[in-house]
Amino acid sequence: MVHDPLSQIFGALADPTRRAILARLTAGEASVSDLAKPFLGEMSLPAVTKHLKVLEKAGLISKGRDAQWRPCRINGEPFKDVVGWLEQYRTFWEESFDRLEEYLKTVTKPKGKGKRHGRKKQPE
Amino acid sequence: MVHDPLSQIFGALADPTRRAILARLTAGEASVSDLAKPFLGEMSLPAVTKHLKVLEKAGLISKGRDAQWRPCRINGEPFKDVVGWLEQYRTFWEESFDRLEEYLKTVTKPKGKGKRHGRKKQPE
């Protein structure tokens, strides 16, 4: 099955292991074995390698050219594509952030008042 | 298989038909039959309904409560989750936007100079 680039990117992101690998790579380049380490209790090395291949095919990561040490790194390009795609939904997610802000106003401590432990606003 | 919310959202977005349905809904609420219309040449109504269910399960759309006409609409919440998740990769996609900008500078016509057809910057 041939996937369009965006479907491939979203498909690659639709897995918690792959997202954890990406999160690890925000700290810098890493070898396959380093990336695999945290997962080896729950899955095999070939399973991790397969996840890396999905990320690589989607363009989210790439491997260095050094024959000795081919570290994985994040590619910004597909993230940029997702950000660009999300732009058309801005009004929807901004509305959602506004509602969050409104909610947070009701649960956070008003300035100059005493400490408040509950989540609900108390009557003054 | 139980999916975490982000995996469910990304999984739902990993399909061009589902993204086309969402794009249609940016123009406003629509009934299932209206949403299905553009796809009925290439797929059945149950196939479209299945796509809508995937979007609904991921929280990306919801249906109105009116028993007579239950229009679909976009929910901003999951988009907000994606935007929040993307934030940790900002340095990567901003770098990518910077490179695009640099590239565009080399292919667009400099102000006050003659028309330029080539992609490469000519020596002055």
Side-chain angles (χ1 to χ4, degrees):
Chain A
M1 210 171 161
V2 181
H3 289 295
D4 61 286
L6 258 181
S7 296
Q8 213 159 22
I9 295 165
F10 283 129
L13 297 177
D15 181 278
T17 305
R18 292 197 286 268
R19 291 198 305 277
I21 290 171
L22 288 174
R24 160 66 187 80
L25 288 173
T26 60
E29 300 185 350
S31 68
V32 172
S33 56
D34 275 346
L35 287 173
K37 242 176 243 169
F39 306 106
L40 293 181
E42 45 188 305
M43 63 180 83
S44 65
L45 182 61
V48 178
T49 309
K50 209 175 154 188
H51 279 309
L52 290 173
K53 273 189 187 145
V54 176
L55 289 169
E56 208 177 346
K57 216 174 158 190
L60 287 155
I61 64 167
S62 60
K63 279 182 189 161
R65 289 189 184 176
D66 187 325
Q68 295 298 312
W69 189 65
R70 301 188 58 205
C72 299
R73 67 171 70 99
I74 289 178
N75 287 330
E77 204 67 23
F79 289 97
K80 192 198 73 188
D81 294 344
V82 172
V83 170
W85 179 84
L86 275 168
E87 198 48 47
Q88 64 189 310
Y89 301 97
R90 178 179 282 277
T91 50
F92 298 95
W93 49 262
E94 279 190 341
E95 223 174 74
S96 203
F97 273 117
D98 288 348
R99 271 203 301 273
L100 178 70
E101 205 177 337
E102 278 308 305
Y103 170 74
L104 290 175
K105 270 183 201 158
T106 67
V107 296
T108 50
K109 194 184 72 173
K111 227 174 173 178
K113 304 262 166 131
K115 239 185 181 174
R116 200 166 265 168
H117 296 285
R119 280 194 144 201
K120 275 186 191 158
K121 199 172 177 184
Q122 315 271 319
E124 302 288 331
Chain B
M1 209 171 162
V2 181
H3 289 294
D4 60 287
L6 258 181
S7 296
Q8 214 159 22
I9 295 165
F10 283 129
L13 298 177
D15 181 277
T17 305
R18 293 198 286 268
R19 292 199 304 277
I21 290 170
L22 288 173
R24 160 67 187 80
L25 287 173
T26 60
E29 300 186 349
S31 69
V32 172
S33 56
D34 274 347
L35 287 173
K37 243 176 241 168
F39 305 107
L40 293 181
E42 44 188 304
M43 64 180 83
S44 65
L45 181 61
V48 178
T49 309
K50 209 175 155 188
H51 280 309
L52 290 173
K53 273 190 187 145
V54 175
L55 289 169
E56 208 178 346
K57 216 173 158 190
L60 287 155
I61 64 167
S62 61
K63 280 183 189 161
R65 290 188 183 176
D66 187 324
Q68 294 299 312
W69 189 65
R70 301 189 58 205
C72 299
R73 66 172 69 99
I74 289 179
N75 287 331
E77 204 66 24
F79 289 96
K80 192 198 72 188
D81 294 344
V82 172
V83 170
W85 179 83
L86 275 168
E87 198 47 47
Q88 63 188 311
Y89 300 97
R90 178 179 281 279
T91 50
F92 297 95
W93 48 264
E94 279 191 341
E95 224 174 73
S96 203
F97 273 118
D98 288 348
R99 271 203 300 275
L100 178 70
E101 205 178 336
E102 277 308 306
Y103 170 74
L104 290 175
K105 270 183 202 158
T106 68
V107 296
T108 50
K109 195 183 72 172
K111 227 174 174 178
K113 304 260 167 134
K115 241 185 181 175
R116 200 168 265 169
H117 296 286
R119 281 193 146 197
K120 276 186 190 155
K121 199 172 177 185
Q122 315 271 320
E124 301 289 330

